[in-house]
């Protein structure tokens, strides 16, 4: 498999519960990004990892959100005490190390979260 | 972050060329212009990018205005599989990488 994978693809949870999503990037990519997409809107940047280091976080990432990338491989995004406003598609992307001309980001299929 | 403006929707016929416009009047000198598209129930996929010169690849062409305040994505012969939301994006530097700043995109419908 050469693409970015995300798990689960769909998650339904009740308000107040915690949820965790996983992203497996393309194996040789050391850069990993999380975006959030609400219905009818374009994706919004949430956070970025270079290897295991989280180097950039958006103001959208409230203190209920936490992301990790242990050992610089897969990443997890956790949302604590979910709210209905957290309902969205959570997209993961990865890209190659610096020096690659395009800096193209490869996106996974996303995890659709519904908070009831 | 600098922003892009695109029409909400466009429609074209199969096997005809499609020109998708984008305005980015606040672009800075180092911002690359990227186009991604998103098919239904999928993540976005890269289409093409450029800085100043027009660019061609197997998927599309990108025409960039001389003042870089606008650009046009050209699909030379649209197929039904090109029906998607097309995003014109400015790639903004962040520490050690770039983030993609998406707008609302143009929903392209292709008629058979």
């Amino acid at each position: 498999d050469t693409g970015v994978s995300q798990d689960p693809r769909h998650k339904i949870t009740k308000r107040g519960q915690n949820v965790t999503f996983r992203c497996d990037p393309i194996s040789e990519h050391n850069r990993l990004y999380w975006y959030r997409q609400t219905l009818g809107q374009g994706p919004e940047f949430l956070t970025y990892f270079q290897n295991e280091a989280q180097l950039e976080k958006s103001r959208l990432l409230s203190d209920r959100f936490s992301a990790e990338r242990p050992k610089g491989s897969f990443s997890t995004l956790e949302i604590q005490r979910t709210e209905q406003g957290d309902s969205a598609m959570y997209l993961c992307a990865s890209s190659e190390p610096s020096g690659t001309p395009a800096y193209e980001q490869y996106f996974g299929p996303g995890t659709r979260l519904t908070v009831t | 972050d600098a922003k892009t403006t695109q029409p909400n929707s466009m429609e074209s016929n199969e096997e005809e060329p499609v020109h998708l416009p984008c305005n980015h009047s606040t672009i800075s000198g180092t911002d690359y212009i990227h186009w991604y598209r998103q098919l239904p129930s999928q993540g976005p996929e890269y289409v093409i990018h450029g800085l100043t010169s027009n660019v061609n690849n197997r998927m599309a062409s990108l025409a960039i205005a001389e003042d870089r305040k606008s650009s046009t994505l050209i699909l030379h012969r649209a197929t039904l599989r090109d029906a998607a939301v097309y995003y014109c994006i400015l790639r903004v530097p962040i520490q050690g990488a770039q983030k993609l700043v998406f707008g609302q995109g143009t929903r392209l419908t292709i008629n058979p």
Side-chain angles (χ1 to χ4, degrees):
Chain A
D1 182 13
T2 57
V4 177
S5 61
Q6 293 187 246
D7 183 68
R9 294 291 306 276
H10 303 274
K11 178 71 176 178
I12 300 173
T13 191
K14 293 185 178 179
R15 187 164 48 96
Q17 298 294 304
N18 299 344
V19 293
T20 299
F21 311 139
R22 176 179 170 126
C23 170
D24 286 89
I26 295 171
S27 58
E28 63 268 26
H29 288 184
N30 70 339
R31 288 172 164 73
L32 186 147
Y33 313 78
W34 285 96
Y35 291 81
R36 181 175 68 186
Q37 185 174 26
T38 54
L39 205 60
Q41 304 296 313
E44 297 172 292
F45 171 81
L46 291 178
T47 191
Y48 155 69
F49 289 86
Q50 182 173 328
N51 299 312
E52 67 276 7
Q54 188 174 18
L55 297 184
E56 187 86 11
K57 290 171 65 172
S58 164
R59 288 189 300 264
L60 295 173
L61 214 63
S62 77
D63 56 7
R64 295 185 298 105
F65 287 69
S66 63
E68 293 183 343
R69 193 182 182 197
K71 302 178 184 178
S73 55
F74 70 91
S75 176
T76 58
L77 179 67
E78 181 183 16
I79 309 174
Q80 296 183 328
R81 305 182 303 281
T82 53
E83 302 172 356
Q84 286 188 320
D86 296 331
S87 295
M89 176 76 82
Y90 290 84
L91 293 160
C92 176
S94 68
S95 68
E96 294 177 343
S98 62
T100 303
Y103 280 70
E104 177 182 344
Q105 293 185 19
Y106 295 80
F107 283 81
T111 294
R112 181 167 295 285
L113 173 66
T114 302
V115 182
T116 61
Chain B
D1 294 333
K3 293 193 175 178
T4 62
T5 305
Q6 302 175 252
N8 289 333
S9 63
M10 290 186 65
E11 199 170 325
S12 185
N13 298 320
E14 200 174 8
E15 298 191 4
E16 290 184 356
V18 180
H19 291 237
L20 297 166
C22 179
N23 288 322
H24 28 79
S25 58
T26 60
I27 191 170
S28 73
T30 57
D31 287 341
Y32 279 79
I33 302 155
H34 278 229
W35 285 80
Y36 278 68
R37 70 179 187 181
Q38 188 170 24
L39 279 65
S41 302
Q42 295 187 25
E45 66 172 343
Y46 168 83
V47 176
I48 200 166
H49 81 286
L51 183 61
T52 56
S53 304
N54 295 344
V55 185
N56 300 296
N57 67 18
R58 63 175 180 81
M59 290 182 71
S61 295
L62 176 60
I64 302 173
E66 200 167 327
D67 63 5
R68 297 202 341 115
K69 294 184 184 301
S70 65
S71 61
T72 302
L73 178 70
I74 302 164
L75 306 179
H76 295 286
R77 288 187 66 200
T79 70
L80 295 177
R81 288 175 293 183
D82 291 322
V85 178
Y86 285 79
Y87 294 100
C88 171
I89 296 162
L90 298 183
R91 198 180 72 194
V92 176
I94 55 176
Q95 187 178 351
Q98 318 274 330
K99 68 177 180 182
L100 301 177
V101 180
F102 288 79
Q104 290 193 306
T106 296
R107 182 172 298 278
L108 177 64
T109 301
I110 304 296
N111 299 315

